[in-house]
Amino acid sequence: MLHFENAPRKATNLSLNSKVLEAAREMGINISQTVDALLAEEVKRRYWEKWRDDNQAAFAAYNERVAKDGIWGAKYRTFGKSLGDGRKE
């Protein structure tokens, strides 16, 4: 899992559009905090996208097993009986 909280900060150089940077400064936007937050969100998005892609075979195998054998314990549950057990007839 990704945990970015309480990590030490590190200075870096960025090349940004000068007009956007000027406008952001005029608006009082904290450039470091904004870029840090947006970059963290993009890293999380790409991490989970890669995780999903890396696990596609497992998802397919699980779905195939449920389609063939149904959901384990479905006959014992007392809720959602109208949903069936997942098997394709």
Side-chain angles (χ1 to χ4, degrees):
M1 187 74 94
L2 300 174
H3 297 285
F4 299 130
E5 298 82 24
N6 301 320
R9 298 183 63 81
K10 182 175 179 162
T12 187
N13 292 322
L14 293 175
S15 295
L16 301 172
N17 179 303
S18 61
K19 298 267 185 196
V20 173
L21 183 58
E22 181 182 334
R25 284 184 175 149
E26 288 175 2
M27 293 178 193
I29 295 173
N30 183 315
I31 308 301
S32 292
Q33 284 180 345
T34 302
V35 170
D36 193 45
L38 292 170
L39 185 58
E41 285 303 314
E42 182 65 9
V43 168
K44 288 177 188 176
R45 185 189 69 77
R46 289 187 188 200
Y47 174 88
W48 289 112
E49 184 178 86
K50 182 182 182 318
W51 180 89
R52 184 196 63 222
D53 292 346
D54 290 348
N55 288 283
Q56 281 293 52
F59 299 146
Y62 175 80
N63 289 336
E64 184 178 320
R65 185 181 62 77
V66 168
K68 179 179 163 244
D69 300 328
I71 298 169
W72 182 89
K75 65 183 177 182
Y76 302 111
R77 71 178 180 209
T78 59
F79 59 92
K81 292 226 183 245
S82 65
L83 299 175
D85 66 2
R87 286 184 285 185
K88 293 180 182 171
E89 301 296 329

